[in-house]
Amino acid sequence: MVDILHQITIDAIPNKIYSAITSEQGLKSWWTTDVSGESKEGSVLTFGFYDRLVVFKMQVEKLLPYEAIKWTCLGDPDEWKGTQLLWELKQKESSQTMLSFSHIGWRSTQGEYKMCNTTWGHLMILLKDYVEKGTVNPFFT
């Protein structure tokens, strides 16, 4: 198994970043405009891409307010099934937060892995811009 790992410093306190990852409006502002579901432990969030040609279903596994968010992909596409997404927030100096992102449990680095790694890096920048500047620029519309 292999993981995708990214880390970025964001000029904001953890609760602002946490909200951008756990709220429907937040997710629609930097990831995809096609988001549905309630962000609470045990619930399933649905994310649509390319006019719903691709749909991800993520079970919310863990919500530690202002510290960590963990989801498990329930399927579609197959390469993502069973992988986990983990965001960890650690406040640094004053209003800075270190965001560590992991997409855990890929079977190999073949297939969609490399493209997804690049996309997640780009998404971290979009998340940073949304949280720091209020820039609404979802990667997928």
Side-chain angles (χ1 to χ4, degrees):
M1 297 272 184
V2 292
D3 302 332
I4 292 173
L5 306 171
H6 291 281
Q7 191 172 62
I8 190 167
T9 299
I10 299 177
D11 288 324
I13 56 177
N15 65 333
K16 195 169 180 184
I17 301 163
Y18 183 87
S19 178
I21 299 168
T22 59
S23 72
E24 186 175 319
Q25 184 57 47
L27 291 163
K28 286 181 176 184
S29 297
W30 62 271
W31 191 7
T32 179
T33 56
D34 188 348
V35 177
S36 62
E38 187 179 353
S39 190
K40 65 179 187 177
E41 288 185 9
S43 69
V44 175
L45 302 172
T46 302
F47 301 88
F49 303 91
Y50 309 110
D51 291 324
R52 298 192 72 79
L53 289 174
V54 176
V55 177
F56 295 116
K57 293 181 181 168
M58 303 285 181
Q59 182 162 359
V60 179
E61 300 291 341
K62 176 171 62 170
L63 295 172
L64 292 175
Y66 321 128
E67 292 180 29
I69 300 112
K70 187 175 187 178
W71 301 338
T72 298
C73 186
L74 301 177
D76 293 348
D78 186 56
E79 287 183 74
W80 281 51
K81 189 173 186 173
T83 63
Q84 295 186 315
L85 281 64
L86 174 63
W87 289 268
E88 297 175 291
L89 307 167
K90 186 166 279 196
Q91 186 154 357
K92 294 174 62 174
E93 305 166 13
S94 63
S95 65
Q96 288 191 326
T97 301
M98 179 65 69
L99 171 63
S100 296
F101 171 80
S102 306
H103 190 162
I104 304 162
W106 285 78
R107 287 173 266 187
S108 77
T109 58
Q110 302 303 307
E112 299 293 317
Y113 175 87
K114 292 175 187 173
M115 189 261 320
C116 286
N117 186 33
T118 301
T119 301
W120 277 120
H122 187 86
L123 286 167
M124 294 303 102
I125 299 300
L126 294 176
L127 172 60
K128 176 182 173 77
D129 286 347
Y130 172 64
V131 171
E132 288 182 353
K133 303 172 192 168
T135 304
V136 174
N137 185 22
F139 192 76
F140 299 94
T141 55

